[in-house]
Structures are given as structure tokens and as C-alpha cells.
Amino acid sequence: MKNKMNFSFIDSKRVGNSAILITFAGLLCSCSQLKAPESNIAKARLVVEQAQIARADQQVPDAYNLAKQKLVIAETAMKKEDYTLARRMSDQATVDAIYAKSRSENIQASLSAESERSNAKSLQQLRR
Amino acid sequence: MYNNTKRSFILLTITLALFACSPRIHQGLEKAKYDLQTSKANPQIAANSPLILADAEQSLDEARHQWKKSRDTDEVDHLVYLTERKLDIARENAGKSLAQANSVVSQAEANLHAKSLAIESSNERARASNIISQHYREKAEDKEDQVNQLQSELKALKAEKTERGNVMTLSNDVIFEVNKADLKPGAVLQLNPLIKFLKQNLGIKVTIEGHTDSQGATDYNQDLSERRAQAVRSMLVAQSIEESRIAAKGMGEDFPVASNNSDAGRLQNRRVQIIFSN
């Protein structure tokens, strides 16, 4: 009787442990089966577009194309439900595209600064 | 007891091996830490891109956290990549701001030079107009000199300024034979200053008027005054004064300048007047 009692106690403890394990496993599952990074990809698409508007495709084609390629990889990963890769690639595409845009704007600003400078210089020379 | 020691040794070996497998330092992470500090220390970047710097710092914190928690190299690599790219963006933004500031400075310089150029060219113009006005002033002074010269010459001719212009009066008795239109030999002497004046001032024209006193018939006086005026004209033409510059007319006895009742008055009325005009 005592043994049985003991056994049933162990048993119930096992059941409890299993329940905790199952819950934990479930949580792990839901963690590993991440949410699809829809908004990350949407953001990447948007900034790639903005980079093109800032003429990054002409001024800094390497950086711009890198962003675009990563966006394609992210979209493909999304279809394959590899959400980790999709998230990483779309986030990288985002910063690559913002970088391409900033670089392109910097180049254009520097070019126009240079032309303003030479304009000022030629006006100065006219005075002499 | 021996077993226990053996087990402990095995466990220790495994633990050491595990430590050896998972490095404590992530090279990229360390580099990103350094790069972030460098960027934050750069005033140009810190001032222009505080938000993106904060964003980079957040990515770096996440990477450190991940590294500490899981040693998930892929995820940490990814987060380090994001951090480095964000620092690149901060640098580009700072560069863009600097270029824009330089543009503004250059524009201001250009404006300054353009304005100075405008001022210099207006100075140039002012100088030119000074030269021109100086020229005209000198011309005007020349003209004034000429007029003054003319006035003094006319004065020398004893010409009087009247409302009809400058008028020179010659007495008939001095230059004409009595009752004739023939000039006396000495008349040329009287007329020489006038001839000289007309030769020097080619723009001046004259009108010669003959006048008589009221003695004798009016018609006779009219005719005589005409002939005398013509005689003076002919003499001037003979002295190479252009005909077109000289008009002559007889005025008869109708324009006395004094009373015809006295000898002195009649003497004054018998006269030839030469009226100068431009």
C-alpha cells in the first residue's frame, strides 16, 4: 500500500514534469516557428525604392544591387518559410539600401558643392 | 573514490573542450564596438546623425546580448553587420551635411564676389561717366570762353546790347559823302574792326540797316538809306565776307533814335546800324 502510494506519487510527479516539458517544448516550437517577417520585408522594399529615387542605382550600383539581391533572397526565404533567413536578409537589405541612398546623396551633394566652389572661384578670378 | 576522481577529470576535460570550441571573443563584435566609439567621438558624425548612431548602438547591444546568451555566431554576425552598416550611414549623412554646408558657404562667397563685381563695374561706369561729364564740362567751358570772347570783341566794336541783339552804330557823316551812297576813303578804317570780327566768327550774321534824318523827301531818304546799306554790304563782300551772311535794307527816316529838331539829334539819326545774329 505504501509502495503503491509511493508509486502513484512518483507517477504524478512524472506526469507533472512531462506537462512542464511539453509546455516548454511547445513554447520552444512557437519560438523556432517565428512569425513571418512581413513588415521587415515591406520596409526593405520601401527603402530600396527610395534608394533608387535617390539615384543610388546609378551613383553607387554595387551597394544598391547588394540591397536588391538581399531583398530577393529574403523574399525567396519567405516563400520557403525560412523566416530567420528572411528576417536577416530583409534587415540587411534595409540598411544596405539606406546606406546606398545616403552615399548617393553624399556624392551628389559633394558634386554640387564642388561646382559651387568652382563657380565662386571663377567669380573671384573675374574680380582680379 | 577513484571512480569519482576519474569522473571529475572527464567532466573537467569536456568542460575545457567546450570552452575551447566556443570562443569567448567575437572579432566582429569587438571591431563594431571600436567603430561605434570612433564614430561617436567624431563631432561631425555625432552632431549630424545622432539617431542613426543610437540605432547602431542598439544593434550592437543586441549583438552583445546575443553573444553572451547564445553564442549564436550567425545571429551575432548579422547584428554586427547591421551595426557596421548603420555606422556607414551615419558617416555618409555627416559627409552629405558637410558638403551641403560647403555649398552654402560657396554660394555666399559667389554672391559676395558677384556683388563686388557689380560694385566694381558700377565704379567703372561712374569713372567713365565722370570722364564724359568732364569732357562736356570742358566743352561747355570752351563754349563759355568763346561766348565771352565774342562779347568782348563785340564790345570792342562798340556794339550795344539791345533787345534786337548786339547793334553797332556808325554815323553816316563819318563813312559817307554828303547825300551820296559812296563810302568815304576813311570808311574802311571805321569798318576794319567789323570785317576782322566777321572773319573770325564765321557763325555770325549781320543785318545792315540804313537810316536817315527827316530832312528832304521821304522817298529820297528811303532810297538813299537803301543804297547806303547796299554800299556797306558790297564793301564787306569785297572784303571776302560771304554774301549769305549779310542782309541790307533801307529804313528811311522812320526810325529815329533822337529828335530831328536839332542838329545833334539829326546827326544821331543819320546812321548805319549793323545788327549781329547767330
Side-chain angles (χ1 to χ4, degrees), chain A residues 18-58:
Chain A
S18 304
I20 290 164
L21 268 173
I22 287 164
T23 316
F24 195 68
L27 269 172
L28 266 177
C29 266
S30 71
C31 276
S32 69
Q33 250 196 341
L34 291 157
K35 247 177 82 183
E38 299 277 6
S39 65
N40 303 45
I41 288 191
K43 189 178 177 193
R45 278 196 198 113
L46 186 72
V47 292
V48 167
E49 234 171 77
Q50 287 171 346
Q52 195 185 10
I53 290 166
R55 296 176 49 219
D57 55 337
Q58 290 158 44

Side-chain angles (χ1 to χ4, degrees), chain A residues 66 70 87-88 91-92 95-96 98-99 102-103 105-106 109-110 112-113 116-117 120 123-124 126-127, chain B residues 72 74-75 78 81-82 85-86 88-89 92-93 95-96 99 103 106-107 109-110 113 116-117 120:
Chain A
L66 188 65
K70 283 181 181 169
R87 173 179 59 80
R88 283 178 186 161
D91 286 353
Q92 288 189 20
V95 290
D96 286 343
I98 295 172
Y99 166 73
S102 300
R103 177 95 195 106
E105 286 169 351
N106 185 4
S110 300
S112 108
E116 295 287 357
R117 200 185 66 82
L123 275 170
Q124 188 182 23
L126 264 182
R127 286 180 62 188
Chain B
D72 178 348
D74 284 351
E75 184 62 15
H78 165 66
Y81 184 86
L82 294 188
R85 261 312 196 216
K86 283 169 187 175
D88 288 342
I89 294 164
E92 292 303 328
N93 284 349
K96 183 177 89 177
S103 267
S106 293
Q107 276 169 6
E109 276 176 10
H113 293 319
S116 304
L117 270 176
E120 280 159 18

